[in-house]
Amino acid sequence: MTTGTATSENTDGFSDGQRTLSGPQLAGALALLCSVDPVCAEVIGRLNLRVYPGEPGDRTAYVVLDLHGVSIGLKRRADDLYLHADTTETDDRLIAFEVNGGEVDHPTS
C-alpha cells in the first residue's frame, strides 16, 4: 500500500505532514489482501482517508475520513476524545448522532 504526501488547502502550500489514501488506493490494497464484497468495494472506492501527525500532548494522530460529502475527524488527546464532523459540502441541516447509546439530533447551522 502506498501513501502520498499532500499539502493542506489552508497552509498556502507548506507541508503539514498530511498523508492521504484515496478510495481507489484503499480498494486496490484491500483487493490484494482478500476478496471484497461489491457493496463494500463501492463504498471503499469513494472513501478518502487523511492522517495528520498528532500535536504535542495528543495520544494519537488526527484521522479524517471523507465520504458522502462529509468529513469525520477523530483523535485521542491527552484528556479526551476529539470528534469533528464537517457537513459544509452537503445540504444537511441536522445531524443525528449516537455516543454510547441514545441518539441525539444536532443542528448544523
Side-chain angles (χ1 to χ4, degrees):
M1 181 181 325
T2 60
T3 61
T5 301
T7 56
S8 175
E9 300 82 6
N10 59 5
T11 59
D12 297 325
F14 294 102
S15 177
D16 58 3
Q18 174 184 327
R19 300 286 191 253
T20 302
L21 284 174
S22 68
Q25 287 175 311
L26 289 167
L30 191 55
L32 291 173
L33 297 174
C34 61
S35 63
V36 180
D37 179 277
V39 174
C40 291
E42 180 181 348
V43 170
I44 292 168
R46 295 178 182 178
L47 178 73
N48 186 50
L49 173 68
R50 293 179 280 146
V51 180
Y52 300 85
E55 296 176 5
D58 288 345
R59 293 186 289 158
T60 67
Y62 183 54
V63 178
V64 181
L65 300 173
D66 303 305
L67 184 63
H68 303 313
V70 177
S71 295
I72 302 294
L74 173 77
K75 71 176 170 178
R76 291 192 166 278
R77 299 189 293 202
D79 297 323
D80 62 11
L81 173 68
Y82 175 76
L83 180 63
H84 174 84
D86 184 337
T87 62
T88 56
E89 293 185 22
T90 73
D91 59 0
D92 297 319
R93 297 292 164 241
L94 187 67
I95 299 174
F97 67 96
E98 185 172 334
V99 177
N100 299 332
E103 187 174 299
V104 176
D105 293 340
H106 181 77
T108 60
S109 52

